[in-house]
Amino acid sequence: MHPTTPAQPFDGSHDREIESLAEFDEVIRDFGTLSPFRIQSVDLTDRTDVLLALDTSAALFLGCPMAPDAAAKARASGALVFPPVPGLSFDPYRGFVYTPDELFETLDEGYEATPDARTYAWFQQTKADGDIFGSMLRSIHDDAVSDALDELLADARVVGVMGGHAMARGTDAYAGAARLGRELARAGLTVATGGGPGAMEAANLGAYAAPFDGGMLTDALRLLAKAPKFTPSVTDWARAAFEVRANWPGGGPSVGIPTWFYGHEPPNPFAAHIAKYFSNATREDGLLARCNAGVVFLPGAAGTVQEIFDNTTPNYYESRGEPTPMVLVDRAHWTEHLPAWPLLRSLARERSMESRIALVDRIEEAPEALKRLGG
């Protein structure tokens, strides 16, 4: 449920999630009950009188701070109440995907002080000690992020741009990937990437630059080149990106879907919406499944090869319906260095996906190839 959604009689079919205090107040005003609703990570400490007075018998409270008597009354009436978990750097019940400002909060103290870095440290600790409580919290978090991502991308035409994290700022390849992201965004597509550095960041940067004139991207690329990679300093790398955002506020939106599984890769700040996961398997499948307008694969290494064939399998079996376009960029890379193209072409032969794959030499050819394939 969203604040702009007009109220309607509850029939069990529309969205029952309440994800903000404004939505909570709207539901109380329009329905006078919380019984069929799921209240997700909303601070209700100032709504005690309302909670004590209303029917909460079939409600579900996920991580909602509330007064003890309100929580006791809700439980007594039959509601399920999952209390907030203290001491975490993340909210497992969150109702929305992340923003760059949220993940990089306290960057002025250095990257290691940010919620992103602290959450990775927590992940490493709980993964190492095999804590079942930590495992449960990670699963709940990832499910909540998937739900938020579904809501965010409802009815969107999403095109994925995949590529390696090693692509450095200041290179021609990085600039080309940024121009690709800009062109796709200007064509009305929602650009989605793996959310990390390198080719992923470049595509998100391009989408961010879409509302501005051409000079903005040129200047932004020059500014970013002073911190070419996220090593040796994630702090310097991230600060350069936030400097670009400060110089040109109000950039175009795009989506980044990174993972704490690859903790050495920080999320890039140019994706307006960041769906970050603990589980890389959930993240990979979810990213590719949402690219309903196709995927462009830029040169990369093992991770990009994995993404090519993770995308190939549902196209091969048509398990998600009609195959979606796949465009591989850089003939030498995908036929000689990492020859994924010959295998992809062999798999596609005499199947419906055969007309939905293409290999191009230059990144500038990718948008036209995507369009030609039906994306």
Side-chain angles (χ1 to χ4, degrees):
M1 183 166 184
H2 303 280
T4 56
T5 303
Q8 53 185 310
F10 176 70
D11 62 6
S13 63
H14 73 282
D15 190 350
R16 295 178 288 170
E17 295 172 12
I18 299 174
E19 297 164 334
S20 70
L21 199 57
E23 289 183 56
F24 179 88
D25 292 338
E26 180 185 347
V27 165
I28 300 309
R29 183 191 69 227
D30 294 337
F31 298 100
T33 181
L34 289 172
S35 182
F37 290 93
R38 284 79 172 94
I39 305 90
Q40 193 171 348
S41 195
V42 179
D43 189 341
L44 300 175
T45 52
D46 291 334
R47 297 295 186 273
T48 300
D49 291 344
V50 173
L51 291 169
L52 292 174
L54 286 180
D55 175 19
T56 57
S57 57
L60 172 65
F61 295 89
L62 294 169
C64 298
M66 63 180 83
D69 52 342
K73 183 264 181 184
R75 290 190 184 94
S77 72
L80 288 176
V81 180
F82 291 76
V85 181
L88 292 178
S89 56
F90 66 97
D91 179 2
Y93 306 110
R94 60 181 305 110
F96 305 97
V97 297
Y98 294 94
T99 67
D101 290 333
E102 184 179 2
L103 288 175
F104 285 99
E105 186 182 15
T106 65
L107 180 63
D108 57 338
E109 300 173 24
Y111 173 70
E112 295 306 318
T114 65
D116 185 65
R118 289 187 288 115
T119 300
Y120 174 62
W122 175 89
F123 176 36
Q124 289 296 94
Q125 177 185 340
T126 58
K127 182 176 66 172
D129 63 22
D131 182 3
I132 191 171
F133 184 50
S135 176
M136 183 190 73
L137 291 175
R138 294 195 298 270
S139 297
I140 292 172
H141 169 274
D142 285 2
D143 188 65
V145 167
S146 290
D147 180 68
L149 192 57
D150 284 340
E151 294 174 0
L152 175 71
L153 296 179
D155 303 320
R157 294 180 64 228
V158 182
V159 60
V161 179
M162 309 298 154
H165 70 258
M167 185 183 288
R169 296 167 172 174
T171 63
D172 290 342
Y174 185 95
R179 288 191 293 269
L180 171 66
R182 183 177 63 181
E183 184 170 349
L184 295 172
R186 286 178 174 176
L189 296 165
T190 297
V191 174
T193 78
M200 297 171 279
E201 180 191 53
N204 288 128
L205 167 64
Y208 186 90
F212 302 100
D213 62 29
M216 175 270 176
L217 184 56
T218 300
D219 291 341
L221 290 169
R222 187 180 302 114
L223 192 157
L224 290 170
K226 69 183 184 181
K229 295 189 175 185
F230 63 94
T231 56
S233 173
V234 175
T235 302
D236 292 344
W237 175 85
R239 282 175 176 166
F242 278 102
E243 185 177 349
V244 169
R245 286 171 35 121
N247 289 347
W248 294 277
S254 65
V255 177
I257 306 181
T259 172
W260 279 292
F261 181 81
Y262 295 130
H264 62 287
E265 292 185 16
N268 79 74
F270 292 112
H273 311 288
I274 302 177
K276 192 156 189 178
Y277 288 87
F278 290 105
S279 168
N280 187 50
T282 303
R283 168 252 192 174
E284 287 279 11
D285 186 69
L287 168 57
L288 294 165
R290 290 174 174 87
C291 293
N292 52 20
V295 183
V296 178
F297 297 93
L298 302 178
T304 310
V305 172
Q306 177 183 346
E307 288 162 344
I308 289 174
F309 292 104
D310 279 349
N311 198 45
T312 297
T313 301
N315 280 346
Y316 181 90
Y317 290 111
E318 298 187 52
S319 55
R320 295 181 185 139
E322 185 179 348
T324 52
M326 300 175 65
V327 179
L328 277 61
V329 176
D330 192 328
R331 187 176 303 273
H333 185 83
W334 294 121
T335 62
E336 299 172 17
H337 181 57
L338 293 173
W341 173 253
L343 178 54
L344 175 61
R345 186 174 56 183
S346 296
L347 283 168
R349 188 171 295 123
E350 298 181 359
R351 302 190 74 89
S352 59
M353 68 174 289
E354 187 172 17
S355 63
R356 293 299 182 93
I357 64 172
L359 174 66
V360 299
D361 288 312
R362 298 179 300 110
I363 199 168
E364 292 80 8
E365 301 173 72
E368 180 56 36
L370 193 68
K371 183 178 179 181
R372 184 175 70 252
L373 298 178

